[in-house]
Amino acid sequence: LEKLIHAFIFSGINYSNSVFTGDPEIAQLSQDGDIVLGGIFYFHSSWKNREDMYTQNLNFREFQFAQTMLFAIEEINNSTDLLPGVSLGYNIYDTCGSIPKTIKVALALNNENVNTSSNSDTLCTKPVQVQAIVGETSSSPSTAIGTLIGPFHIPLISHFATCACLSDKTKYPSFLRTIPSDYYQSRALAQLVKHFGWTWVGAVRTNDDYGNNGMATFTETAEQLGVCLEYSVSFFRTDSTEKIHKVIETIQASTSKVIVAFVSHLDMDVLIHEMANYNLTGYQWVGSESWISDSQIAVVDKNHILDGAIGVSIPNTHVSGLREFILDVRPLRSLNNDLYKEFWETLFSCKFKHEKSDENYRECTGQEDLTGVENSFTDMSLMPIFNNVYKGVYAVAHALHEILGCGKICNNNVKEKECREIHFKTKEGEEVYFNENGDPAAKYEVINWQPRENGIVDFITVGVYDASLPFDEQLKLQNRSILWSQGSNQVPVSMCSEKCPPGTRKVLQKGKPVCCHDCIGCAEGEMSNITDAVTCVRCPPESWSNERRDACVKKEAVFLSYNEIMGILLTTAALFGTCVTAIVTIIFYKNRKTPLVRANNSELSFLLLFSLTLCFLCSLTFIGQPSKWSCMLRHTAFGITFVLCLSCVLGKTMVVLMAFKATLPGRNLMKWFGPTQQRLSVLAFTLVQVIICILWLSISPPFPSKNLKEFKEKIILECALGSAVGFWSVLGYIGLLAVLCFVFAFLARKLPDNFNEAKFITFSMLIFCAVWITFIPAYVSSPGNFSVAVEIFAILASTFGLLICIFIPKCYIMLLKPEKNTKKHMMGKGPPKASVCNDSRSRWKPVSPSTPSSSFWKIPRPF
């Protein structure tokens, strides 16, 4: 500020030629001083009425501002610390609320500086007059004044011009203010609207710099916060009645229940008068600082349209002695004669003698006082704004004090020195300073209109807004009751569409603002756990959305367990097969010396029964939760036990077939199929499978895995094959042995029936092959743990097939037909073509062809 004043003092510009033609402007209030400050207020408000006639109303509020300026100047002149020995004077003008007149007044203030000189000695003896201007109240006049006096570096300090545009130092280099910029107010209103969940609002603004710029910032911030404007209409107090009615009709036709009014107090006054003819109750008003704390607006609101209004206001403050000074109207007698009389008559509702007699008014004596008078002049509700005027005057005084203290006026080196930036405290302890844009710190109070029973409105502070804090901490509401429109204690609801609950997402309605949407449920596997979610979040692979789609729950891990019905049935079948095999083994052991057991190769039979027992038991490894060891055990145990089983069957069929072939003269094949060779063949066949399994386990063994694809809402715990080649090699080798068994058994099917088991082996191999051929497509196509059940079923079915087909007929004879379990029955009645002993512990011995037919075959004897 002192830089501006210093630049102005030494500018050396003569303004004598920069005047409007016409009558010169006369100061309404003036006082001489060593340094003179200018004041610009509008003591009159004027606009066209319905008959296109100009009407003027005396504006007591502007008189209060002027009184505050006089109070501050008087305090400074009486101070021994600030500007000692220097008196401040003032020239205060009335602009009548007209921008052309405002410009004329600004030029008049410039023209008072015709004695400006760059000579420092002259400045010491006769200082320049107007060093700074306090005012204007509104933004649009301030922009006009700022544009005019900016090139002349005359500081203009406004107490109530809040347009953010005035922070542009390229356009308004000499403008400062003691009230925060609308940039912060607009953001505060947007955060206030968002705080209460109002996403669908209407907007009304004054059609000037104050309203248009303020609403532009509000709209931008509101959109960032997810708030939409259903409409945004503007008007000015001089507009026609029809235009203002269109604004009201727009409000009536809207669906939003919240109205943000970025309107000056004068325009709000006009709007309230017009809205009185409409039923506009039930709307929640959100107001800017220009009218939200103005008690005169509350007085005008006879229909209680604005009850429950909420908005931001300059923080309430107190300036000691100011109230008493304002109410002391004696200094206003220095007004020019006409304005003084008008002010006095309006203030005390009287008329002076020389005026035309009016029965409605009493006679003015000039000695009236304000005792018992209640009007806008005695209303102190705008004390925060008075304080802004007070701080503005003191800011100029401190700047002048710094300039004088640094010797910039009366020192030859004044241009080389700079004073520190203005930063001081008022007598109430409030800090005053300006940022690089000439703006003060942005702090507001949140005000709520709460009418009392007698109709008087109380302006209750319900929160604060501090722009210097982080965004999330700027708005803080107090824990006190807020009264809403129509006296309700419930927060009004104003939304284009209902909020989308958790489990849904918003889908914008075509051609409408982003706040208008439909709610679509999240798809399977997706969820949203917040209100008004824009998108649904896909659940992690091991989780799934619940029925409400508002949370992801861990998928149920399923596997073939011993507790479920299928597991119980398969376990029962496996144990039953094991028990039956054990019983058959016992039966065979008890009858091990009988011809039936001896004739059917008892050693391989017992080994086959043992392998069948292992086959039944290995199926149990497929049941239960898969683990690293169970996965490796189940497949290898299955492969090895089945190969052992089929090796035994293959050994039995090969011995029978080779014995038959050995009866041909000149052949001695049975020496290759003795007991040792049979044992080695079983071992060799089994060893091949063991090698395959070892390679499989070494290279890429089976391992437990989680199947997330089979079922959306479940996790299948299963054993992954590891190496598919290893798994199919095991099965292929089993299939190869099964085919060989079937072929050999088929070739030996026509041997003598009484002791030939080739037919039973053939039938068992048919069952075995059928089971495993159908197993492959069933296994591949079965989902989840059903594939395990299919594999267990194939194991049990093929094992039961071998057990039943090979051993049950023999058990039947041993238990129910013991008379057939004799050598005689084994020998048969008729002359057989060949004789063979299938007991591994006996050797086959052909007899001479000359031997009688009854003794052609000898019963083999044990080794």
Side-chain angles (χ1 to χ4, degrees):
L1 178 59
E2 70 263 25
K3 292 178 183 178
L4 288 173
I5 295 175
H6 178 261
F8 168 63
I9 291 174
F10 287 96
S11 59
I13 300 175
N14 190 309
Y15 310 102
S16 59
N17 296 324
S18 304
V19 296
F20 276 166
T21 59
D23 297 333
E25 291 296 326
I26 301 175
Q28 307 300 325
L29 285 167
S30 63
Q31 176 179 298
D32 292 334
D34 297 330
I35 298 176
V36 177
L37 303 184
I40 300 179
F41 304 99
Y42 53 95
F43 298 131
H44 293 89
S45 303
S46 63
W47 59 83
K48 287 183 180 181
N49 59 17
R50 295 181 181 179
E51 288 76 26
D52 284 343
M53 298 293 292
Y54 279 100
T55 61
Q56 288 191 335
N57 293 326
L58 207 61
N59 192 338
F60 280 143
R61 185 164 72 167
E62 297 293 316
F63 275 99
Q64 290 175 319
F65 295 156
Q67 283 281 74
T68 304
M69 181 176 175
L70 301 185
F71 172 75
I73 290 176
E74 184 175 307
E75 272 194 350
I76 295 169
N77 287 338
N78 294 330
S79 172
T80 58
D81 298 324
L82 188 62
L83 291 176
V86 177
S87 64
L88 294 181
Y90 53 82
N91 286 335
I92 299 176
Y93 290 83
D94 178 18
T95 65
C96 296
S98 168
I99 291 181
K101 188 171 179 62
T102 299
I103 297 174
K104 193 174 181 181
V105 166
L107 289 173
L109 286 170
N110 288 349
N111 291 326
E112 292 177 3
N113 299 288
V114 294
N115 295 321
T116 299
S117 172
S118 59
N119 184 283
S120 60
D121 294 332
T122 304
L123 290 172
C124 290
T125 59
K126 187 177 181 180
V128 181
Q129 288 189 334
V130 177
Q131 302 296 324
I133 300 174
V134 177
E136 226 264 8
T137 300
S138 300
S139 294
S140 291
S142 295
T143 59
I145 300 172
T147 303
L148 177 65
I149 68 176
F152 305 141
H153 305 288
I154 304 176
L156 173 65
I157 305 178
S158 175
H159 54 280
F160 211 39
T162 57
C163 179
C165 59
L166 290 166
S167 297
D168 187 352
K169 296 296 103 177
T170 61
K171 294 182 179 178
Y172 314 103
S174 64
F175 178 82
L176 302 97
R177 53 186 158 196
T178 53
I179 189 170
S181 165
D182 280 339
Y183 172 80
Y184 302 103
Q185 179 187 188
S186 301
R187 294 172 65 84
L189 291 176
Q191 289 190 46
L192 188 66
V193 168
K194 180 62 177 179
H195 176 82
F196 293 111
W198 300 325
T199 58
W200 187 238
V201 301
V204 179
R205 69 187 188 276
T206 298
N207 190 16
D208 61 4
D209 293 327
Y210 169 74
N212 293 330
N213 285 278
M215 187 56 67
T217 303
F218 171 84
T219 303
E220 179 183 356
T221 307
E223 289 178 353
Q224 294 173 358
L225 297 176
V227 178
C228 300
L229 267 64
E230 182 181 9
Y231 60 87
S232 181
V233 291
S234 64
F235 73 99
F236 196 69
R237 53 185 173 270
T238 58
D239 288 342
S240 64
T241 304
E242 291 74 17
K243 185 172 182 179
I244 297 177
H245 285 178
K246 287 182 179 180
V247 171
I248 298 174
E249 290 168 0
T250 300
I251 296 174
Q252 283 185 316
S254 67
T255 58
S256 58
K257 296 299 180 182
V258 175
I259 304 172
V260 179
F262 219 101
V263 181
S264 70
H265 65 282
L266 294 176
D267 296 300
M268 197 66 186
D269 191 309
V270 174
L271 184 62
I272 288 295
H273 277 96
E274 295 299 332
M275 287 194 299
N277 302 321
Y278 293 82
N279 183 21
L280 280 180
T281 58
Y283 290 91
Q284 177 62 47
W285 290 82
V286 180
S288 60
E289 40 73 33
S290 180
W291 66 268
I292 195 65
S293 58
D294 192 336
S295 60
Q296 295 307 305
I297 298 296
V299 172
V300 172
D301 185 22
K302 303 294 185 182
N303 294 341
H304 302 282
I305 297 173
L306 302 178
D307 282 2
I310 194 169
V312 295
S313 175
I314 304 303
N316 198 10
T317 187
H318 174 71
V319 180
S320 58
L322 178 58
R323 183 179 186 277
E324 293 76 11
F325 185 89
I326 291 177
L327 297 180
D328 183 5
V329 295
R330 287 173 298 177
L332 293 178
R333 293 175 180 176
S334 63
L335 288 166
N336 66 54
N337 190 45
D338 292 337
L339 183 59
Y340 168 74
K341 287 190 298 182
E342 182 184 2
F343 168 76
W344 200 268
E345 290 174 348
T346 306
L347 181 62
F348 295 105
S349 300
C350 62
K351 293 287 185 179
F352 284 101
K353 280 185 178 181
H354 62 273
E355 297 291 333
K356 294 180 180 180
S357 60
D358 191 334
E359 296 179 356
N360 296 327
Y361 290 92
R362 60 184 175 85
E363 183 180 342
C364 295
T365 64
Q367 301 300 321
E368 289 83 1
D369 61 36
L370 291 173
T371 304
V373 177
E374 290 186 6
N375 54 29
S376 59
F377 188 80
T378 61
D379 179 21
M380 295 292 120
S381 62
L382 294 181
M383 184 61 72
I385 312 303
F386 304 160
N387 185 47
N388 287 343
V389 178
Y390 180 82
K391 291 186 294 185
V393 176
Y394 263 86
V396 175
H398 276 275
L400 291 170
H401 184 85
E402 293 298 329
I403 293 173
L404 294 172
C406 291
K408 282 195 173 183
I409 292 181
C410 302
N411 191 305
N412 292 331
N413 297 322
V414 291
K415 294 184 179 180
E416 298 177 3
K417 296 184 178 181
E418 295 183 0
C419 294
R420 59 182 176 84
E421 294 181 356
I422 297 303
H423 193 155
F424 64 94
K425 286 187 178 181
T426 65
K427 64 181 180 180
E428 310 298 338
E430 181 181 358
E431 283 191 287
V432 180
Y433 58 91
F434 302 99
N435 62 16
E436 64 277 7
N437 295 322
D439 297 328
K443 293 182 180 180
Y444 298 95
E445 289 181 347
V446 180
I447 301 298
N448 179 223
W449 283 30
Q450 297 188 6
R452 290 184 283 180
E453 294 181 358
N454 58 4
I456 298 177
V457 175
D458 290 332
F459 302 111
I460 305 300
T461 300
V462 295
V464 294
Y465 177 87
D466 189 346
S468 64
L469 297 175
F471 183 81
D472 295 338
E473 302 175 10
Q474 291 175 349
L475 180 64
K476 293 182 181 178
L477 296 181
Q478 302 170 356
N479 294 326
R480 60 190 308 171
S481 176
I482 298 178
L483 191 67
W484 304 104
S485 60
Q486 296 184 321
S488 173
N489 291 321
Q490 297 293 327
V491 180
V493 177
S494 185
M495 297 182 293
C496 180
S497 302
E498 291 293 328
K499 290 186 176 181
C500 290
T504 62
R505 62 182 177 90
K506 295 194 299 185
V507 176
L508 300 182
Q509 296 178 0
K510 188 175 181 180
K512 293 187 177 182
V514 294
C515 297
C516 300
H517 57 264
D518 296 319
C519 298
I520 305 298
C522 293
E524 289 185 346
E526 297 180 347
M527 72 90 188
S528 64
N529 57 1
I530 59 174
T531 303
D532 280 344
V534 178
T535 59
C536 295
V537 180
R538 179 162 293 279
C539 293
E542 296 188 10
S543 299
W544 194 251
S545 55
N546 58 8
E547 292 184 1
R548 297 188 301 273
R549 304 287 195 270
D550 59 359
C552 289
V553 295
K554 193 171 181 61
K555 290 181 180 179
E556 178 187 4
V558 295
F559 53 89
L560 186 60
S561 69
Y562 293 102
N563 297 324
E564 58 181 294
I565 295 177
M566 185 178 294
I568 292 173
L569 292 176
L570 293 175
T571 301
T572 302
L575 294 177
F576 175 75
T578 303
C579 294
V580 172
T581 306
I583 293 172
V584 171
T585 303
I586 293 172
I587 294 173
F588 263 62
Y589 181 77
K590 288 184 176 181
N591 295 275
R592 65 186 179 281
K593 295 182 180 180
T594 61
L596 184 61
V597 175
R598 292 169 59 110
N600 286 280
N601 201 331
S602 60
E603 185 174 310
L604 288 182
S605 295
F606 282 112
L607 187 57
L608 179 58
L609 287 170
F610 173 71
S611 64
L612 290 175
T613 303
L614 294 179
C615 289
F616 280 120
L617 293 177
C618 81
S619 64
L620 298 179
T621 62
F622 288 82
I623 304 176
Q625 183 172 349
S627 65
K628 177 181 178 181
W629 294 105
S630 67
C631 287
M632 291 190 292
L633 178 63
R634 64 172 58 172
H635 289 98
T636 54
F638 153 69
I640 293 172
T641 54
F642 258 75
V643 166
L644 178 61
C645 175
L646 292 176
S647 299
C648 294
V649 174
L650 184 59
K652 291 169 69 71
T653 54
M654 288 179 63
V655 168
V656 172
L657 185 60
M658 292 304 103
F660 174 75
K661 296 296 183 180
T663 58
L664 298 176
R667 290 193 178 183
N668 191 19
L669 295 176
M670 282 307 297
K671 67 180 181 178
W672 300 106
F673 291 93
T676 302
Q677 286 77 10
Q678 294 175 29
R679 297 188 190 100
L680 290 175
S681 65
V682 172
L683 180 61
F685 287 135
T686 307
L687 185 60
V688 173
Q689 185 73 309
V690 171
I691 294 173
I692 294 174
C693 290
I694 291 175
L695 291 175
W696 183 14
L697 296 180
S698 300
I699 298 173
S700 181
F703 59 90
S705 68
K706 297 177 180 179
N707 187 341
L708 305 173
K709 298 180 180 180
E710 204 70 51
F711 295 101
K712 296 178 180 178
E713 68 283 359
K714 295 180 181 179
I715 299 177
I716 307 299
L717 301 182
E718 60 185 11
C719 288
L721 297 178
S723 172
V725 174
F727 175 74
W728 292 110
S729 296
V730 169
L731 286 186
Y733 186 63
I734 293 173
L736 175 63
L737 293 183
V739 170
L740 291 176
C741 288
F742 175 76
V743 171
F744 288 150
F746 181 79
L747 294 176
R749 71 188 185 285
K750 294 185 179 180
L751 290 177
D753 293 340
N754 290 347
F755 60 94
N756 181 19
E757 60 181 356
K759 290 182 180 180
F760 300 115
I761 293 176
T762 303
F763 190 67
S764 68
M765 287 298 102
L766 281 174
I767 295 176
F768 186 93
C769 293
V771 167
W772 286 100
I773 289 174
T774 55
F775 159 78
I776 295 175
Y779 177 81
V780 172
S781 61
S782 295
N785 54 354
F786 289 104
S787 62
V788 179
V790 168
E791 192 168 359
I792 296 174
F793 178 80
I795 293 172
L796 295 178
S798 56
T799 306
F800 271 112
L802 291 173
L803 178 64
I804 293 172
C805 293
I806 295 177
F807 291 99
I808 296 303
K810 297 178 178 59
C811 292
Y812 173 77
I813 293 174
M814 286 186 283
L815 296 177
L816 301 178
K817 300 290 184 178
E819 66 275 7
K820 294 183 178 181
N821 190 8
T822 61
K823 291 182 181 181
K824 183 178 180 180
H825 187 268
M826 293 295 101
M827 293 291 295
K829 297 287 186 175
K833 296 181 181 179
S835 177
V836 65
C837 177
N838 290 328
D839 194 335
S840 61
R841 293 176 300 172
S842 303
R843 70 168 176 259
W844 173 84
K845 183 179 180 182
V847 297
S848 172
S850 60
T851 306
S853 61
S854 59
S855 59
F856 183 79
W857 297 97
K858 288 186 177 180
I859 300 297
R861 56 186 177 84
F863 288 99

